[in-house]
Amino acid sequence: MIIPVRCFSCGRVIASDYVAFVNRVKFIRENEKREPTSEEIENIFDELGVERYCCRRMILSHVDLVDEVIPYD
Amino acid sequence: MELNILELKEKYIKFEIKGITPSMANALRRTLINDIPKLAIHKVIFHHGQIRDKNGNVHDSTTPLFDEIIAHRLGLIPLPTDLNMKFRDDCDHPPDEGCPLCTVTYTLNKHGPATVYSGDLVPHGDQKFRPVDSLIPIVKLKDNQAILLEAEAIMGTAREHAKWQVTSGVSYKYHREITVKKDDSDYWEEVKNSCPENVIYEDKDKITFTDDRKCKAMAKLLSFDNPEIKEDNSWFIFQFETDGSLSAKDTLDYALRRLQERFSKIRESAAIS
């Protein structure tokens, strides 16, 4: 639905990092017309300070569905 | 007993303590996890019905998420904490009322189409209570929707609910010394070059590393050269992260004082009997 505020396992705030992550990925897609490589994704996580894999999976595996629910109030 | 800080950032700390037992290290870890008080939203009052904006346009109070979910998300937002504030139970007034010593009130009012962020929460009175992280999305609103609510934040500890958890990833490990023979392979040179501060001893046929500081090349060293590993169970390397409601240093400082306070309570009760 919408990105959880905190990581389920450790409690780190990840919602704001998700927004930054999505923007960085979108930037690569639009400017280089390709998908980001795994090294680039690792880099983004390191720069955002998302270190543990519990927090990384929160962001990587999330599907944002709010936009699809909004039309049906 | 000796404590040295190895790395310190606003929200992250890594430190070592020498001369303690594993049970003492674990007591500190558990205190850091569940005994640090912080401010979090505990009660949310939603306005239901029509909401008018400045231009007189009428919006509806429906949102794509249930009110309960929004209230829960608001609770998880880290708020800057003043450790001098009281717990509500310690105040003299009835527990369902608040006072400036124990409660901070917030309002949130936003009209669609928009994404509501944590930064839209406005504290009543002192602006130092604005949420630390202003970019946490809370809900999305479409063009005729709006949200209007009032929220009360109180102090609590993570023993009661995870929204009052200041720290995340609190962990400790033993100080380790990894000795490799220089003849076995040349990989030690790469480790030495990438993390020179991790070398603690070197002579012409042996080199000793420590993994106290982060070193990505170190993992490979363990699989390459039959290393000799020595662990010291009285020397601990701690690290943790905070959510921003308190700085890492203040959190550690409070945890150490809190441990002392709890043990002195035991001592006092022992003295009476």
Side-chain angles (χ1 to χ4, degrees):
Chain A
M1 193 70 142
I2 193 165
I3 182 78
V5 179
R6 284 166 187 260
C7 167
F8 291 154
S9 303
C10 73
R12 185 187 190 282
V13 176
I14 43 114
S16 47
D17 291 328
Y18 174 77
V19 179
F21 177 82
V22 168
N23 288 338
R24 296 275 297 268
V25 170
K26 212 188 269 168
F27 181 83
I28 294 173
R29 280 186 186 146
E30 276 167 14
N31 279 270
E32 321 219 348
K33 304 269 177 272
R34 63 176 173 86
E35 286 296 306
T37 62
S38 47
E39 285 78 18
E40 281 170 333
I41 290 175
E42 187 189 348
N43 241 332
I44 299 172
F45 279 135
D46 284 345
E47 282 166 31
L48 290 173
V50 182
E51 235 176 59
R52 289 176 291 279
Y53 58 60
C54 58
C55 310
R56 292 189 175 195
R57 63 90 207 254
M58 294 300 296
I59 292 173
L60 277 181
S61 60
H62 179 252
V63 183
D64 219 29
L65 289 175
V66 245
D67 296 313
E68 275 160 65
V69 181
I70 285 180
Y72 316 99
D73 0 74
Chain B
M1 207 182 287
E2 189 186 331
L3 192 151
N4 297 315
I5 293 173
L6 302 175
E7 210 183 320
L8 180 65
K9 290 180 200 151
E10 180 64 23
K11 285 160 68 172
Y12 174 83
I13 190 170
K14 189 170 204 172
F15 57 98
E16 57 175 10
I17 309 180
K18 292 177 196 169
I20 60 169
T21 61
S23 49
M24 288 159 90
N26 196 42
L28 176 60
R29 181 187 137 265
R30 294 185 61 143
T31 308
L32 282 166
I33 292 172
N34 66 20
D35 222 359
I36 315 285
K38 74 168 263 199
L39 204 61
I41 289 174
H42 192 55
K43 188 178 177 186
V44 183
I45 303 151
F46 287 89
H47 173 91
H48 286 158
Q50 291 180 338
I51 299 167
R52 279 172 198 276
D53 64 13
K54 271 181 260 163
N55 309 321
N57 297 321
V58 178
H59 297 263
D60 202 32
S61 65
T62 52
T63 53
L65 298 181
F66 295 121
D67 288 357
E68 291 89 330
I69 295 176
I70 297 173
H72 177 242
R73 292 177 70 83
L74 288 170
L76 294 174
I77 294 168
L79 304 170
T81 301
D82 177 357
L83 284 173
N84 295 319
M85 273 177 74
K86 281 167 130 183
F87 285 99
R88 193 170 263 191
D89 293 346
D90 298 341
C91 265
D92 297 331
H93 52 72
D96 52 340
E97 285 169 25
C99 73
L101 287 175
C102 68
T103 311
V104 180
T105 324
Y106 290 85
T107 36
L108 176 63
N109 185 10
K110 196 146 188 184
H111 310 282
T115 306
V116 182
Y117 287 101
S118 54
D120 298 321
L121 271 174
V122 185
H124 290 187
D126 202 335
Q127 292 302 305
K128 73 174 182 188
F129 289 113
R130 273 184 175 275
V132 235
D133 191 339
S134 59
L135 287 171
I136 302 169
I138 299 165
V139 239
K140 282 189 174 174
L141 301 171
K142 71 172 183 181
D143 49 6
N144 54 359
Q145 294 178 332
I147 189 167
L148 175 59
L149 58 85
E150 202 167 283
E152 276 178 16
I154 62 170
M155 297 288 271
T157 59
R159 204 173 288 176
E160 204 175 323
H161 192 286
K163 67 183 174 184
W164 284 302
Q165 186 176 318
V166 178
T167 54
S168 53
V170 190
S171 65
Y172 60 79
K173 62 178 179 188
Y174 295 147
H175 164 80
R176 291 200 284 180
E177 285 172 15
I178 302 148
T179 311
V180 268
K181 290 194 190 86
K182 287 187 175 176
D183 302 338
D184 286 356
S185 114
D186 290 335
Y187 187 68
W188 62 269
E189 279 175 36
E190 199 181 318
V191 182
K192 190 188 168 188
N193 291 335
S194 57
C195 342
E197 75 276 18
N198 283 21
V199 180
I200 46 177
Y201 176 78
E202 187 178 8
D203 62 21
K204 69 178 194 317
D205 34 62
K206 272 193 294 185
I207 182 161
T208 305
F209 295 101
T210 160
D211 62 351
D212 291 358
R213 282 161 216 273
K214 198 180 176 184
C215 179
K216 275 192 174 171
M218 193 79 80
K220 230 172 161 184
L221 185 84
L222 298 173
S223 56
F224 263 108
D225 314 284
N226 291 318
E228 185 195 312
I229 301 171
K230 227 172 72 192
E231 286 185 333
D232 184 347
N233 68 0
S234 67
W235 183 345
F236 290 85
I237 316 298
F238 270 83
Q239 61 172 356
F240 68 85
E241 221 179 318
T242 76
D243 62 3
S245 48
L246 286 167
S247 72
K249 215 180 161 194
D250 290 347
T251 309
L252 176 60
D253 190 51
Y254 184 87
L256 294 169
R257 276 191 288 126
R258 176 70 186 147
L259 267 177
Q260 199 178 25
E261 187 190 313
R262 289 182 68 189
F263 281 118
S264 64
K265 269 185 197 153
I266 299 175
R267 197 177 58 197
E268 279 161 27
S269 61
I272 294 164
S273 55

